[in-house]
Amino acid sequence: MVIEKLKPLFNYEELQEKSVSGNGMAGMDILSVQQFDREMLAYIFARAREMREMVQRVGEVDLLKGNVLTALFYEPSTRTSSSFIAAMERLGGAVIPITQGVQFSSVSKGETLADTVRTLEQYSDAIVLRHPQIGSAKLAADYSAVPVINAGDGAGEHPTQALLDLFTIREELGHVDGLRVAMVGDLRNGRTVHSLTKLLLHFDVSLRFVSPEILRLPLNIMNQVIDAGIDSRETHDVADVIDNADVLYVTRVQKERFADLAQYEEVKNHYEITPDLMKRAKEKMVIMHPLPRVGEIHYAIDDDPRAAYFRQVQNGMYIRMALLAAVLGRA
Ligand code: ASP
């Protein structure tokens, strides 16, 4: 196994103790989905629906006027960074974007994450952080007096993506309990898969994990699935799950997590969801993808009403508006 070993710097389980219900989220860091229970999810989703209605009717409000968010991205991002910026601006707040230029900032002079965070908190009311190292968001939160939101910590978690994924499932299909969810692709390195899987453990779902052998779901997450008593199975073949899936959650092979690029080349084109394959899928189901896609879903599927990935993107902004309002004490 040449893929870089995933070694957590801290124990996400500890965060469960910090779980709160209802609207007690003011000042809260959002580091892992394990901070959320069903009551809290319902609360965030209700706020996200209000945000959707507001955006569709008036476009913006001044709920977060006077608030400043720092978007600190040490890894590439298109959707997550721009949806946080859009979310903040639609709520009347301002953003310090350090999204494309980390290489031009003091980080390139050797500044530690702790010092960068302790500096940026002097200007801002919240910090959104994407960083290649598992546990980095927790580390930043330990140093920051303002809320830190994890926008992806290496191959660890991506909690705001999982919230928007679950919200999309709920809005598209009307419910979550009773659904058959199949996750396809790089389940080992895909942080969105890790977070969504953990979030789905709160529901009465059945899970199917479809990956090449070397990209199977990490054992610690599989153990959580088993401990939760969720019906689950692993397979290498999408054909095994396509007939029954209510949700087909497709992911990209995470090239940046491979120490050996030859190994990436071997598995990168393992799956492609094609119109032919979709003929076997249920009429009422959704295909989702956290994006970017690099060949996993054929473009001809984009016009299929079951293709929810761009609606998923839009939901991301509403969820992030709800989260920002909540942690800044305005929801
Ligand atoms: N955009 C998602 C992430 O940041 C998925 C991906 O990059 O494949 O994890």
Side-chain angles (χ1 to χ4, degrees):
M1 184 68 56
V2 197
I3 294 175
E4 225 172 330
K5 202 166 165 223
L6 305 178
K7 193 167 174 296
L9 296 180
F10 75 103
N11 185 357
Y12 276 120
E13 265 76 296
E14 285 169 14
L15 294 171
Q16 270 174 320
E17 290 164 23
K18 287 192 182 176
S19 178
V20 295
S21 297
N23 62 357
M25 289 178 67
M28 197 177 119
D29 302 307
I30 297 176
L31 306 178
S32 163
V33 287
Q34 290 181 208
Q35 293 168 263
F36 293 82
D37 55 25
R38 274 182 83 138
E39 198 186 337
M40 205 167 160
L41 291 170
Y43 176 78
I44 290 295
F45 291 177
R47 299 289 78 74
R49 288 186 196 104
E50 288 168 7
M51 296 298 180
R52 177 173 61 204
E53 203 185 324
M54 185 282 287
V55 168
Q56 286 169 358
R57 290 176 62 180
V58 292
E60 59 168 354
V61 288
D62 60 4
L63 191 69
L64 296 183
K65 191 168 169 19
N67 285 243
V68 176
L69 172 74
T70 293
L72 178 59
F73 281 68
Y74 289 81
E75 275 191 341
S77 168
T78 303
R79 276 149 294 273
T80 306
S81 58
S82 44
S83 82
F84 268 111
I85 292 170
M88 196 64 186
E89 292 192 352
R90 284 189 184 272
L91 292 174
V95 182
I96 302 173
I98 311 180
T99 49
Q100 309 303 338
V102 170
Q103 69 272 31
F104 305 119
S105 72
S106 285
V107 169
S108 64
K109 302 178 191 164
E111 186 169 57
T112 60
L113 177 61
D115 277 0
T116 303
V117 162
R118 278 187 292 199
T119 300
L120 293 168
E121 70 165 340
Q122 310 302 323
Y123 311 132
S124 20
D125 302 295
I127 296 172
V128 177
L129 174 72
R130 171 169 292 183
H131 192 280
Q133 215 176 354
I134 296 178
S136 50
K138 170 72 168 72
L139 180 93
D142 286 345
Y143 285 97
S144 172
V146 301
V148 170
I149 302 177
N150 181 3
D153 59 335
E157 277 219 35
H158 196 344
T160 67
Q161 176 74 42
L163 292 169
L164 78 89
D165 291 341
L166 187 66
F167 182 62
T168 300
I169 294 172
R170 169 66 187 77
E171 298 304 280
E172 292 280 329
L173 298 173
H175 59 103
V176 179
D177 285 318
L179 294 180
R180 281 168 286 213
V181 181
M183 315 248 190
V184 182
D186 188 348
L187 311 186
R188 179 188 173 94
N189 302 298
R191 55 195 173 198
T192 70
V193 168
H194 302 168
S195 289
L196 182 57
T197 300
K198 292 177 192 175
L199 212 45
L200 284 169
L201 301 185
H202 291 297
F203 297 85
D204 179 19
V205 291
S206 57
L207 298 176
R208 296 292 177 266
F209 299 105
V210 187
S211 72
E213 185 59 30
I214 60 162
L215 299 180
R216 284 170 65 187
L217 194 72
L219 202 59
N220 68 320
I221 302 178
M222 189 50 96
N223 284 340
Q224 289 182 42
V225 173
I226 293 163
D227 289 348
I230 299 278
D231 168 54
S232 65
R233 238 167 282 162
E234 291 180 279
T235 172
H236 299 317
D237 198 348
V238 187
D240 293 341
V241 303
I242 193 72
D243 302 321
N244 290 320
D246 298 299
V247 177
L248 194 66
Y249 188 90
V250 186
T251 63
R252 150 186 93 88
V253 177
Q254 308 279 299
K255 183 178 181 184
E256 65 275 34
R257 310 283 173 232
F258 282 74
D260 176 2
L261 279 183
Q263 195 168 39
Y264 164 74
E265 293 295 328
E266 270 171 37
V267 287
K268 71 172 187 189
N269 294 325
H270 206 87
Y271 298 110
E272 191 194 13
I273 311 301
T274 60
D276 256 0
L277 191 69
M278 287 308 295
K279 283 185 192 143
R280 290 180 46 187
K282 290 160 79 167
E283 218 169 286
K284 189 177 179 204
M285 57 85 73
V286 280
I287 316 165
M288 294 172 57
H289 195 304
L291 302 175
R293 69 175 144 180
V294 284
E296 308 81 32
I297 301 179
H298 197 286
Y299 283 95
I301 290 177
D302 296 0
D303 295 329
D304 187 317
R306 296 171 292 186
Y309 27 93
F310 291 111
R311 297 191 290 275
Q312 198 180 339
V313 171
Q314 189 177 132
N315 286 333
M317 184 175 72
Y318 305 135
I319 285 289
R320 289 172 177 132
M321 290 171 80
L323 290 172
L324 287 168
V327 301
L328 293 170
R330 303 304 300 270

